[in-house]
Amino acid sequence: MIYLEAEAREAVIEAGHRLREAGLVARTWGNISARISEDQFVITPSGLAYETMRPEDLVIVNIQDGSHQGSRKPSSEKGIHADAYRLRPDIHFVIHTHQNAATVFGIGGMDLTKDLPDILGDCVPCAAYGLPSTKALRKAVAKEVEMHPESKAFFMKNHGALCLGTDETEAFKVSAALEEACGKQLTFLDKRIRAASGGRAKDFGKSVRSGHRFLLTWKGMKKIYDLKRLPKDMPEAAAIHAAIYKKYDVTCIYHEKSREVRAWSRQARTLRPYVDDLAQIGGVCIGCVSGMVRDEIVDGLNNCNAVCLFGNGALCTGKTRDDTLAVAMILRKGALSALYAKTLSDCEPISKPDARLQRMIYLHTYSRKKEDSGVCLKS
């Protein structure tokens, strides 16, 4: 049943909250829509977080020509949603996510046909790679939607997943079922990651900066340092944070020590992105340094927001706390993707030209340069 406009707006907002609580979307990543007539749907706007989004923020889009109504800009992937509604009259709700397990499995470019729950049908097809928001990606996804009229979930290679439903409830169930099915396909990596992650990581601490001072949390202690009057006897962790702040325009540093990132850091290899969002938010080539030489760590962050430390995870940076934690979150998915890729016979990272283009667009167009109002230094 096609939604009434007011019902559709409420359903999209509700879906955003449900997906966020389930860990299937974060920040402004992904997009959600609902059909309101044979010719129109409402969709989430570009660059607005799900937790602050209101029904009136959604944008009405025309299915046939992509034109839209309202003051806000619709999601840049509106064309993919339009094609889903155009090709599948039975579909009234569409969710596009960058959910972890499905995104990681999708880097292999393979359809998923094994051990699928009934709601996913007999096949989850994989659409060919295309740069985000391009005609190439839209065409690739539309091809799979048209060729698999019984499927309700689709991989978007190196990008994410598309989930369809007759209503919000079904589309959410499809997204959750897809994540569970892909998670099962990746369980064989668990033992390898535990073995490869090594012992307990050395603590490099986390910090937040305000002006010329920064608050370091390290080994359970908190201390404020002044970049203009640094003590000569400060711990090496503090010296590393100070050196990063002196060289880069960042306000937060976080030591990411998850098993996936520690396991990758022990590879002592550059991490190239297999997923779009790592190229955008983390960097084109995330290096790995010994973690023992301060200058190597600082230099490793040149043109990146993360650097791997051999056997000790990675240091992540950002202009706000939220940005920094986003880098850490994406780095975990990026490391898992790279470890999974090593088990596949023919799986290449995103090309450097494509990665550079996405990084540039993110930094100059999508990355909001804002002050972190939550910074308050207290020892």
Side-chain angles (χ1 to χ4, degrees):
M1 178 178 175
I2 294 175
Y3 284 92
L4 297 174
E5 182 183 331
E7 294 174 339
R9 291 178 181 274
E10 292 291 345
V12 169
I13 297 300
E14 173 64 21
H17 292 315
R18 291 182 70 187
L19 290 163
R20 188 167 172 269
E21 289 168 5
L24 298 172
V25 298
R27 304 183 91 209
T28 64
W29 305 332
N31 28 78
I32 308 168
S33 70
R35 189 198 293 266
I36 59 173
S37 73
E38 295 293 343
D39 303 311
Q40 293 178 316
F41 61 94
V42 293
I43 192 170
T44 48
S46 178
L48 195 61
Y50 295 101
E51 59 266 34
T52 59
M53 197 178 295
R54 302 165 302 172
E56 56 266 33
D57 293 323
L58 304 185
V59 185
I60 297 177
V61 178
N62 186 285
I63 291 173
Q64 298 305 320
D65 63 12
S67 60
H68 65 276
Q69 303 173 19
S71 58
R72 289 193 179 276
K73 181 181 178 182
S75 166
S76 59
E77 302 290 12
K78 66 182 185 297
I80 290 175
H81 291 249
D83 289 337
Y85 292 125
R86 178 175 56 82
L87 295 168
R88 296 282 294 273
D90 59 313
I91 295 302
H92 305 313
F93 209 91
V94 177
I95 295 172
H96 164 45
T97 70
H98 298 179
Q99 57 196 73
N100 281 8
T103 302
V104 172
F105 184 86
I107 70 170
M110 302 175 291
D111 297 349
L112 178 58
T113 58
K114 296 190 300 182
D115 303 322
L116 294 180
D118 291 341
I119 196 170
L120 296 180
D122 296 328
C123 176
V124 179
C126 186
Y129 171 73
L131 281 167
S133 309
T134 62
K135 290 181 180 178
L137 177 60
R138 178 178 176 179
K139 185 177 179 180
V141 176
K143 176 184 176 182
E144 298 303 325
V145 173
E146 187 170 24
M147 294 295 293
H148 297 85
E150 302 303 319
S151 294
K152 291 196 173 172
F154 302 83
F155 299 113
M156 302 160 75
K157 191 174 186 293
N158 305 109
H159 185 66
L162 188 72
C163 300
L164 315 180
T166 55
D167 58 16
E168 182 262 336
T169 298
E170 184 179 42
F172 174 81
K173 288 180 178 178
V174 168
S175 180
L178 178 64
E179 191 69 0
E180 183 177 358
C182 292
K184 290 178 180 177
Q185 295 297 318
L186 299 173
T187 52
F188 75 95
L189 283 173
D190 291 347
K191 283 187 178 180
R192 298 186 188 193
I193 290 173
R194 282 197 295 270
S197 62
R200 192 171 182 177
K202 177 182 176 182
D203 185 16
F204 283 80
K206 61 182 179 180
S207 65
V208 60
R209 172 186 178 179
S210 180
H212 57 84
R213 299 194 305 161
F214 69 93
L215 171 64
L216 175 70
T217 302
W218 178 66
K219 292 187 174 181
M221 300 178 291
K222 293 185 178 182
K223 186 172 181 178
I224 294 175
Y225 290 91
D226 191 326
L227 291 169
K228 295 182 178 180
R229 294 189 296 273
L230 292 171
K232 293 182 179 180
D233 60 345
M234 62 180 170
E236 183 60 16
I240 290 169
H241 285 243
I244 292 171
Y245 285 131
K246 283 187 173 183
K247 185 167 182 178
Y248 300 109
D249 181 23
V250 297
T251 64
C252 190
I253 301 169
Y254 179 78
H255 184 195
E256 171 57 39
K257 297 179 284 188
S258 64
R259 281 179 176 170
E260 298 93 332
V261 177
R262 278 167 33 220
W264 177 260
S265 71
R266 293 180 68 84
Q267 304 286 317
R269 294 171 56 190
T270 296
L271 176 59
R272 288 184 56 196
Y274 286 83
V275 290
D276 287 332
D277 40 17
L278 181 60
Q280 296 163 9
I281 298 171
V284 176
C285 295
I286 297 172
C288 185
V289 301
S290 68
M292 304 301 293
V293 181
R294 189 187 315 166
D295 289 344
E296 286 184 2
I297 295 173
V298 175
D299 290 344
L301 287 163
N302 189 35
N303 296 321
C304 292
N305 284 95
V307 59
C308 291
L309 314 172
F310 179 72
N312 284 294
L315 284 181
C316 303
T317 68
K319 287 184 176 293
T320 68
R321 284 173 171 158
D322 188 47
D323 289 344
T324 308
L325 292 177
V327 173
M329 181 190 307
I330 295 302
L331 192 62
R332 291 194 290 273
K333 182 166 65 174
L336 181 59
S337 297
L339 292 166
Y340 177 51
K342 289 186 67 178
T343 70
L344 303 175
S345 59
D346 184 21
C347 185
E348 296 294 328
I350 296 169
S351 72
K352 287 185 179 180
D354 280 4
R356 289 192 191 99
L357 177 61
Q358 292 186 66
R359 175 74 169 167
M360 181 184 68
I361 292 172
Y362 175 78
L363 291 176
H364 296 288
T365 305
Y366 294 107
S367 181
R368 296 186 301 278
K369 297 170 176 59
K370 60 185 179 181
E371 294 296 324
D372 184 2
S373 59
V375 172
C376 181
L377 303 188
K378 293 182 181 180
S379 58

